[in-house]
Amino acid sequence: MEVGDLLTSAGINIAICVVLLTLYSILRKQPGNACVYFTRKLVSEPIKGSGDPSCLTRFVPSASWIARAWQATDEEILAVAGVDAVVFMRIVVFSIRVFIIAAIICLFLVLPVNYNEQGKWCPHHKDFHAEPLEAFTIANVKLGSKWFWAHCLALYLISCSACALLYYEYKSITQMRLAHITGSPPNPSHFTVLVRGVPGSPVNSYSESVEQFFSTYYAESYLSHQIVYGACTIDKLVDAEKIYRMLKTINPRSLDSSLPSCLPGGTTHSFMVLNQKADRVLSSTSIDGLHPSQSKKECPAAFVFFKTRYAALVAAQVLQSSNPMLWVTELAPEPHDVYWSNLSIPYKQVWFRKITTLIASVVFMLVFLVPVTFVQGLTQGVQLGQLSYGLPFLKEILKQKFIERVVTGYLPSVILMLFLYTVPPTMMLFSAMEGTVSRSQRKRSACIKVLYFMIWNVFFVNVLSGSIINQLSAVSRFTDIPIQLAQAVPSQATFFTTYVLSSGWASLSCEIMQPFPLFYNFFRKYILRKDEDPSDCALTFPHHTEIPRLLQFILLGFTYSIMAPSILPFLLVFFFLAFLVYRNQFLNVYVPKYESGGEFWPIVHNATIFSLLLAQVIALGVFGLKRSPVASGFVIPLIVLTLLFNEYCRQRFSPVFKRRPAQILIEMDQQDEQLGRKQEIQNQIRSAYFQNPIISFQLSTDPKSRNTSHHHGDEESNCGLDLSKPSMNSTWGPRMA
């Protein structure tokens, strides 16, 4: 690929970005799109006043959103989007800092060495636009050149800078996580343990077994428990209630009155009947009426509440039974984070589900070799010749220089990006099938799967390309991996540069445009004729999609920083644009429904260390192929030092993200006792975890049902939680949809 091909791809992507960002600056001003581009504000407080609909300024592009995103502070993002959003933005900030350092070093030190060596690729320099991009890579340096000290020095400086910034970020995020634990309002998950694998009994129900077990072995600290139920009639009624609330907003006058009465365009009496039925069910539903019918639907799982945080921590971390498959305990997720449908899965099936999903993920990765191989064929021009042979009428078109540049320089990365859109939903499905008990845990599992998929299929398979058979044989000889990578990585620099343009720049433009919510909003307003904004339009941030994308570009940046420094400016543009786009989305669009306290950061740290080590191993192989033993010898200590740094961080910071410190929890318990709010917290805990909002609401408002939950010890008559005035920032309450 020549420089002109890269400039063609860059020009197309720049044009796409400019058009989409301009269109976004116009669409966000339209009052009808408030539920798409200002979802967070719409959920927290309804937007009043839409301005003059005839005002021409609504159709004039502006960059005000850029200034707002740039001026926002971490404190603002923390207040509106939580710790997870701040941690995500720290990934972007870390990337900007480390690649600014890498760009300064490599563009002014390494790139001139690569270009001026006049080795394999450019014995006589051509015009700049006709230069092959390989002239700017390490492949252009002569064998045994004395200038490899520049590459080795750059590798040392980049690695040391990355480790220093990683340490700073890890320390800062650890302190932020601890501050989140101590500074947030009392969290029911701190007092709650999720118990799975409750053994069955011919005499007692699961609920009675849980009561008997914890009353016996945790008599002083046990408070109460809430059993988990399977699917029951009340779930269907809740779904019917949601359907009614969705359909009743349709204006029947805006539709054809000749439609049958069973459709939204006819009379609304059918929906009135549904509403009356739901009201009758709600009025007749109580714990006294539900429990006998649901006892047959009890699952071998329960939420057990303790009087103190420390008691819950101890109960969650010790082995409860001589049989590790019974009475399995773990700290419960937040109420809004619970993935209720997986709690009914027997614990004995979890290990089998994990193995099955692992096999399915590997098969999916192998199947994905086919589109990746096709994309590499287009990049190398192989598929182009076959296309001309199979479709002769395209032969003359493909001979045109511009069309050839588009097909070989722009189209491959676009095709690969389109195929990659199927990966996150598939991995999310696999993670749900594993039996994860929380939504955040499901996203973390999907994030890891997508990351592994990206590293293998997007990086290694593209680097070791040719045919599927060659790819499999290339990775079957593990002793030859450094040499194989050293030979293949520099030659793929051009493809990954265009991939950054299409998958990076263009994808950010699509992210800020929100095409699917925008289309749904258009369909709902102009086809279904709904005037009111939907109440369930809030979206949570897709960590499992965006974190692997950032980590993939970090991998490319470290790997090609000394191999092909020309990729660094394009990466920097991506990360600066990501800084603005994601800040805008956190401030205006995404609504956090639960909080993991920054538990994604260890994944980021480990992936970054892997990227550094991979870059160092590839550099070791390249220096060996280039017959530079001095440079190769200096790389080996760098690998050892990086491994030691990673082990230190693992020992110093990682345990905080896996377990809660007992010291902090005990101090919080003592503070609650000193302030006299211990009894109040215990009363609120009992109504924090309920599978159905109807049941939770009934428990919190019906005085007859408040004393019927499973509890231990003396009770207060007002133990329910008042949900009449819910708070947006409260961690208490029923399950969110």
Side-chain angles (χ1 to χ4, degrees), residues 187-206:
N187 194 323
S189 63
H190 294 173
F191 299 86
T192 309
V193 170
L194 174 62
V195 182
R196 305 176 75 185
V198 179
S201 173
V203 179
N204 298 329
S205 64
Y206 287 125

Side-chain angles (χ1 to χ4, degrees), residues 178 181-182 309-310 313 660-671:
L178 295 177
I181 295 175
T182 58
R309 299 175 180 86
Y310 179 70
L313 179 67
R660 294 167 187 164
Q663 177 186 3
I664 293 179
L665 297 182
I666 293 175
E667 291 176 354
M668 294 173 69
D669 289 333
Q670 293 174 349
Q671 184 180 10

Side-chain angles (χ1 to χ4, degrees), residues 493-553:
T494 55
F495 169 77
F496 286 118
T497 303
T498 59
Y499 178 77
V500 170
L501 294 173
S502 57
S503 180
W505 296 10
S507 65
L508 286 176
S509 302
C510 292
E511 163 64 27
I512 201 169
M513 275 291 296
Q514 295 286 299
F516 294 109
L518 184 64
F519 174 77
Y520 171 74
N521 181 57
F522 176 83
F523 180 81
R524 185 179 55 83
K525 286 185 177 294
Y526 298 102
I527 305 299
L528 299 181
R529 302 295 181 87
K530 292 184 178 181
D531 298 330
E532 298 181 4
D533 291 326
S535 58
D536 57 346
C537 60
L539 299 174
T540 58
F541 187 75
H543 290 90
H544 65 292
T545 301
E546 304 307 316
I547 289 180
R549 189 198 308 275
L550 294 182
L551 294 178
Q552 180 189 14
F553 289 137

